[in-house]
Amino acid sequence: MRKLIMVLGFLGMIGHIVPVSWAQDKPAAHQSPYFQVAGKEGVEQFPLLGTKVHVNIAGVVAYVEFIQTYKNEGNKTIEAMYVFPLGAHAAINRMQMKIADRVITAKIEEKETAKNIYETAKNAGQIASLLRQQRPNVFQMNVANIMPGDMIEVTVHYTELIVPQNSTYEFVFPTVVGPRYNGEVKDPEKENPWVAMPYLRNKEEVPYDIDIEVTLNTPVAVDEVWVPSHNVTVEEGDLYTRVKLSEEVQGGNRDFILRYALKGNQIQTGLMLYPGEKENFFLLMVQPPKRVEVRDVPPREYVFVVDVSGSMNGFPLEVSKTLIRNILNDLNGKDYFNIVFFAGGSRVLSPYPLPVTPDNIRQAIAMLDSQQGGGGTNLLSALTHTLALEKKEGVSRTVVIATDGYISVEKEAFDMISKRIGDANCFTFGIGASTNRYLIEGLARAGSGAPFVATDQREAQQLAETFLTYVSWPVLTDIKVEYRGFEAYDVGPEAIGDLFAMRPLIVYGKYKNPEGEIVVTGNTAGGPYRRVIKVTDYKENETNSALRYLWAREKIARLSDYASVGMNVKDQVAELGLKYSLMTEYTSFVAVDTVVRETGEVVTVKQPLPLPQGVSELALEERGSFPQACFKSVAGSLSLSRNDMAAAPEVKAESSHLVAGNGVFPQGWTQDRFDTLIDPVKSKLEDLFRKWSLKKVTLEMKTDSHGIIWLKVAGFTGKECHQADLTGILNQVPLPQGYIRVVLEYR
């Protein structure tokens, strides 16, 4: 009879490139997105007939009118529910509902009050619409009592600030909400029921029309305008430029991105003043100094956190690989780096920072290229592991996160970064044609970094170079704003982080008197910076009324969107929403028709959404676990997660038993307890020993509450041995926490 002898002892951390599979987070039963299935006969399954978007950009402010048309072509009365995105900074300030020739202006109410008004009207047989915020960039429209033959229009109005970067202006209109992973939410049914939305399969056409028209009214003539995301027609007038979306079958499955530059690459900066009836508002936009490059750039440590979940499978992951590959190849020889891959679990390239050498970069790229994408998106778990990684002493750390952002725990992620990142910076890359920009911008904001969005591989290549420039040579640091003789109050942001991009410094606020001056100071690589703005050089203008909405939206963002988890800001945010007639997390718009009708049974229909362009159907089919082909080690051997190994085919083992002798265990552990712990995986370990003709193997590892952090095969006697497979098996049991030396001998 052969026996497997196990001897344990503790030791210090060993330094090698070690592909590691961390503990797989167990998938929870939760509400998730799903594919559209056939509904009841006679019930309209696609009530959204179409959307029209009219945008007027005047100077640096976009005024948007967003019209949704619903029609019931079935024979039963329905309630339509539609989840849709808007910009994370959109200040929604008005809503109207049109039924035939009747127009009802919606009222802004406290969230629960609005819901009660809507439900009462719904039960009474009245047509009603309710607009709620699920996230700062995700909204839900409910329209009740749409009887057969009814056509109803709901119009939403919002304003948004257009901020240039590198002399280029960009307006983005998101068209679809990507399928959100809900696995890290404690109580998804209560917190995020909107996530459980139906999606169409990739080959199905978008069942509604989308029409977008943008009119540019700029103080300086437009030099160039382009739309990389869609086919458009451009009409140029003497005082305007109009851009119209061409007819596209699948135009509603990706962000509409419009970019333009003014003659001479000019940008509009300065001070905008709005004299209100009770309050005055200002907006300051200061163009930063030109970037100063320095020759002696200090070394940095880069930790790349790469999303390889199901929604990243295929095209998005290839974009991400292009991005990370280009950054790795351009790192300075004095730098250090590491990579964390995550989906339903996490995996790290090395237990400690690696120096930038040709061999290390080659092995990192090989590991990167082996990723295939599958499983859930456990970002919080990945961030926990990332922030616990060993840091290179005396070197500044930069965390780089590449993801499509399809999660529902944004605030928890912001909280973790802001509280635990220390003096490091966090830069983010949104990957794909319809990324969650709220997450991408919020993580960068929490980590005092900058956000990027790469929609394709061409942009990924360009952004890789831009990113390294930003990190190496910030435009302006240690920024301070001082008001002299200008009585400003309720100013935001309260603290201004370093400016990495060539984009204006922006400050919102209220003021009492249009006089005095504003002084902006900071440091550049070339020395101190100082800029004085004289308030009297700018006139108050009543056409700047959008400033009150933009100020209130920014105030709400600071209080609520990016606030710490658990902070009670409901009353403050609701008060702002009601005072300035703004959509918030705690206020909603509700419109009710006065006509009461006999509706009969009302069937609730969730409007199906298209999958964003390039997103695999794995985004819905694999939630919470890695497929077996997801992770491969640098050497090409498969590294399986805990759940994958548990599901792998099992070969019947020969009669044998496992003995643990001469063990040194963590405090509280005994010989008998450890024997009981490893009993479920004994047969799998023996199967590997027989398969590899192993007689003995020495393993070194470090573990924590999540499982194995890193593992190394220090030596073995036999034909072959793959550490990834051993990691996968040992990760199926809750090992004692600490540094462990394990000698496995098969007798």
Side-chain angles (χ1 to χ4, degrees), residues 542-561:
E542 293 184 357
T543 62
N544 291 335
S545 59
L547 293 188
R548 68 190 301 269
Y549 298 123
L550 296 174
W551 172 87
R553 183 67 191 85
E554 179 64 19
K555 178 77 170 180
I556 290 165
R558 296 198 305 271
L559 283 172
S560 179
D561 299 356

Side-chain angles (χ1 to χ4, degrees), residues 47 458 581:
R458 179 185 58 81
S581 188

Side-chain angles (χ1 to χ4, degrees), residues 263-277:
K263 291 285 187 182
N265 286 328
Q266 295 185 52
I267 65 171
Q268 185 175 349
T269 58
L271 183 65
M272 297 175 66
L273 302 169
Y274 170 64
E277 293 182 7

